[in-house]
Amino acid sequence: MRHKFYRLFLTVAIAFVSFSCKNETKESQIAVDTKNNKPNIVIIYLDDLGYGDLSCYGATAIKTPNIDALATGGVKFTNGYASSATCTPSRYALLTGMYPWRNKNARILAGNAPLLIDTKQQTLPKMLSKAGYQTAIIGKWHLGLGSGYVNWNETIKPGPNEVGFDASYILAATQDRVPTVYIENGHVVNLDKNDPIEVDYKKNFKGEPTAKSNPEMLTMAWHHGHNNSIVNGIPRIGYMKGGEAAKWSDIDMADHFLGKAKNYIKTHKDNPFFLYYAMQQPHVPRTPHPRFVGKSGMGPRGDVILEADWCIGEFIKTLEEEGVLENTLIVFSSDNGPVLNDGYYDEAVEKLGNHDPKGGLRGGKYSLFEAGTRVPFITYWKNHIKPNVSDAIVCQMDLLASLGNLVDIDESTTDSKNLLNTLLGESQKGRDHLIIEAKSHTALRSGDWIMIPPYKGKTINKKVGTETGNSLEYKLYNLKKDIGQQNNLAKENPQKLKEMIQIFEGLKL
Ligand code: NG6
Ligand code: CA
């Protein structure tokens, strides 16, 4: 595909050159043409969306027509992985192309944690900038800000703009963590200097209400954690004071980010762009806009999945209306697997019915079993990618090397694999091996097999209600025959186990 693409460009370029008579301008004109021929790149990244949460991945109780359209018009991966079973490490791997377990700080970050990515590190937006792209993030960041102490009332840096994004419009960490404000290019949006923002993750500010001291103020009840500051009636993680005018509206968040994403397309369509559209759904607190309340019959979790699908439909419509859809490669995925009760009473468990967010896999968010990291993964490029289903093993971490290949930048990468042809549906060859991670524990996927080493610790995360993947024995599953990881073959197949341990140890060096 890429070759075809460049061949086409070459023909156009040669035609152009033979046409133009003044030879001094030839070279610069070619350079401009090369730039204009690069496809835009969009990563649409959901938060906690499970392998079975979309109708294109087998869900029947919920219909996601807009995401389904990407899957049926592009490549739907059945073995697509986030690097990790939680957010921060997966996002770290996506943007840096590096295994997150190589960085001991790559774990779920507080809202005031320092920037996790070194400003000297290689990143996707830096690489694409080098290739002439305009780059932006709109949505959830959760990779830390500042270098220790953040003053939210001044320029907040380093952050996304210091690791390669030309433009950023973000929520700092998660929707359930303070500060509950949007930050645009390092500045809190709508900040009133007379009402400065203070954030603390250890202690409350004197006189400020919390979920524990003022339960009567709550419009959503907390189940575990989430009992600190109250914003819009929702109890959060962490304490925050001030910034009243800057606080976001939870029910409008999806529309707000969509508006920003649409506007970005409209104002940047004339030159190649890379947009990382990091949506907040269906992470807690699930706050569907009233238009979507009750629409799924599954409570807020189902409703926000419908809301996300609608947003994606609107976003694609904008690409089409602005005339850039056919020149835009879209990658769709999720940062980790699904969770129902992630700390609030919001009927996710009670109203689930027959829906299986895990899509037949075992575990879920936080788990080393498959549902923790195996997620929906779709590539779409209208009239360029031939619709297909691929069983190749691909990981989000591979986007760095693969997109590098697409834009002709050859950066050396340790962990990221160039799978461009696979992502464009021209090859079925994926990774030979992949190390997945959950809460700093790691396991090896290799071919049809997965090996989970012994780990101490709870086997079940009781509050959340999922299996962690911890046990005192080695676990070995053949995923082709046993996608639900029910038959541990470690004892039956010591030879395979030994081989897997050897590969795993070799890769972890
Ligand atoms: C956990 C939170 C959970 C969620 C998660 C991060 C508690 C008890 N649980 O610590 O609600 O915020 O962090 O999710 O506080 S992630 O998708 O960003 O990794
Ligand atoms: Ca997540």
Side-chain angles (χ1 to χ4, degrees):
M1 166 55 58
R2 191 177 146 253
H3 304 293
K4 262 191 246 155
F5 169 74
Y6 278 107
R7 222 179 296 135
L8 176 71
F9 157 63
L10 219 65
T11 321
V12 174
I14 290 167
F16 180 80
V17 170
S18 34
F19 225 76
S20 89
C21 40
K22 304 275 171 291
N23 49 15
E24 302 109 272
T25 57
K26 278 179 200 164
E27 277 205 10
S28 61
Q29 293 289 5
I30 292 172
V32 170
D33 265 18
T34 314
K35 205 172 143 203
N36 287 343
N37 270 288
K38 282 180 181 149
N40 307 308
I41 298 168
V42 173
I43 298 178
I44 303 177
Y45 208 48
L46 268 72
D47 194 0
D48 296 2
L49 185 80
Y51 188 69
D53 270 327
L54 303 172
S55 31
C56 53
Y57 276 83
T60 50
I62 200 159
K63 292 269 172 288
T64 49
N66 296 301
I67 304 169
D68 292 4
L70 298 179
T72 49
V75 186
K76 179 182 100 171
F77 290 90
T78 61
N79 283 287
Y81 286 86
S83 75
S84 307
T86 54
C87 170
T88 301
S90 288
R91 283 161 207 257
Y92 179 85
L94 171 79
L95 292 184
T96 66
M98 268 187 64
Y99 275 127
W101 43 262
R102 296 197 193 280
N103 182 338
K104 65 176 179 6
N105 296 321
R107 52 190 66 192
I108 299 174
L109 295 180
N112 60 353
L115 179 66
L116 182 65
I117 301 172
D118 193 307
T119 51
K120 289 186 217 72
Q121 234 172 303
Q122 182 181 38
T123 67
L124 206 45
K126 271 190 200 168
M127 179 190 75
L128 293 170
S129 290
K130 223 187 275 174
Y133 279 72
Q134 315 165 82
T135 60
I137 169 176
I138 294 170
K140 172 172 173 171
W141 175 240
H142 210 186
L143 286 164
L145 293 167
S147 22
Y149 169 75
V150 179
N151 183 340
W152 302 93
N153 309 292
E154 290 176 359
T155 307
I156 301 159
K157 66 177 201 183
N161 298 59
E162 285 66 42
V163 298
F165 287 104
D166 302 330
S168 64
Y169 194 100
I170 58 166
L171 69 86
T174 57
Q175 204 187 327
D176 53 351
R177 283 176 173 76
V178 299
T180 48
V181 295
Y182 297 120
I183 301 167
E184 183 169 25
N185 297 322
H187 297 274
V188 170
V189 178
N190 290 335
L191 178 70
D192 174 359
K193 292 272 177 207
N194 298 318
D195 182 24
I197 296 176
E198 290 177 77
V199 169
D200 197 310
Y201 269 73
K202 292 206 177 82
K203 56 177 195 330
N204 190 23
F205 299 97
K206 207 162 172 245
E208 291 295 309
T210 68
K212 281 188 169 164
S213 68
N214 292 69
E216 77 287 352
M217 286 174 65
L218 301 180
T219 52
M220 194 185 280
W222 56 279
H223 177 273
H224 56 277
H226 307 97
N227 53 23
N228 304 156
S229 285
I230 306 166
V231 180
N232 305 333
I234 302 170
R236 315 277 169 162
I237 308 172
Y239 302 99
M240 174 178 174
K241 188 180 175 204
E244 220 34 65
K247 286 179 183 170
W248 66 49
S249 157
D250 291 275
I251 56 171
D252 293 315
M253 185 176 280
D255 286 343
H256 193 73
F257 283 141
L258 172 64
K260 297 287 166 196
K262 283 165 71 168
N263 191 48
Y264 186 80
I265 305 297
K266 289 180 187 164
T267 50
H268 292 79
K269 64 179 178 189
D270 293 336
N271 286 299
F273 60 81
F274 164 55
L275 173 61
Y276 172 34
Y277 181 17
M279 300 172 72
Q280 86 284 8
Q281 302 106 323
H283 194 281
V284 295
R286 296 156 184 144
T287 53
H289 186 273
R291 308 196 295 287
F292 295 94
V293 171
K295 288 286 185 285
S296 68
M298 250 182 243
R301 184 173 188 278
D303 295 346
V304 297
I305 294 176
L306 297 187
E307 180 187 67
D309 183 67
W310 177 84
C311 289
I312 290 166
E314 293 300 298
F315 178 74
I316 307 280
K317 226 186 272 168
T318 305
L319 289 172
E320 200 155 31
E321 283 163 7
E322 297 302 321
V324 291
L325 184 61
E326 288 188 37
N327 193 33
T328 303
L329 168 64
I330 300 171
V331 181
F332 171 93
S333 203
S334 168
D335 67 342
N336 52 252
V339 58
L340 295 175
N341 178 350
D342 208 11
Y344 293 97
Y345 287 98
D346 67 359
E347 302 182 304
V349 177
E350 295 80 354
K351 291 199 167 164
L352 187 64
N354 294 327
H355 179 58
D356 177 16
K358 304 189 287 350
L361 305 177
R362 187 171 175 181
K365 181 176 180 179
Y366 311 113
S367 176
L368 211 39
F369 285 121
E370 284 295 281
T373 48
R374 206 198 288 202
V375 286
F377 195 128
I378 300 164
T379 52
Y380 176 90
W381 186 0
K382 192 175 179 189
N383 294 338
H384 288 78
I385 289 183
K386 219 166 83 216
N388 203 354
V389 175
S390 174
D391 297 330
I393 300 174
V394 296
C395 178
Q396 293 157 7
M397 191 172 61
D398 301 324
L399 288 172
L400 186 97
S402 307
L403 296 177
N405 187 204
L406 177 73
V407 301
D408 251 356
I409 290 213
D410 190 14
E411 296 213 354
S412 68
T413 56
T414 330
D415 300 328
S416 183
K417 300 265 178 259
N418 173 12
L419 300 176
L420 182 65
N421 290 336
T422 314
L423 293 175
L424 297 183
E426 291 175 348
S427 160
Q428 285 281 336
K429 173 107 185 70
R431 284 179 158 264
D432 294 327
H433 318 293
L434 173 69
I435 294 181
I436 56 166
E437 184 254 348
K439 298 195 120 184
S440 307
H441 291 168
T442 48
L444 174 73
R445 169 89 201 250
S446 179
D448 294 335
W449 296 84
I450 188 133
M451 182 278 297
I452 306 179
Y455 288 109
K456 288 187 193 142
K458 291 184 183 130
T459 54
I460 294 185
N461 180 337
K462 283 212 181 95
K463 284 180 185 148
V464 174
T466 44
E467 294 179 287
T468 58
N470 295 335
S471 73
L472 298 178
E473 295 184 323
Y474 274 101
K475 294 192 282 294
L476 178 71
Y477 302 99
N478 183 323
L479 292 170
K480 193 157 197 181
K481 297 188 182 139
D482 176 24
I483 197 170
Q485 298 178 289
Q486 295 302 309
N487 303 311
N488 181 1
L489 302 175
K491 292 211 172 79
E492 211 170 288
N493 201 337
Q495 197 48 44
K496 189 75 201 172
L497 178 64
K498 194 169 154 209
E499 186 192 314
M500 294 286 283
I501 294 171
Q502 263 166 9
I503 299 170
F504 181 65
E505 282 170 1
L507 288 173
K508 286 219 67 176
L509 290 177

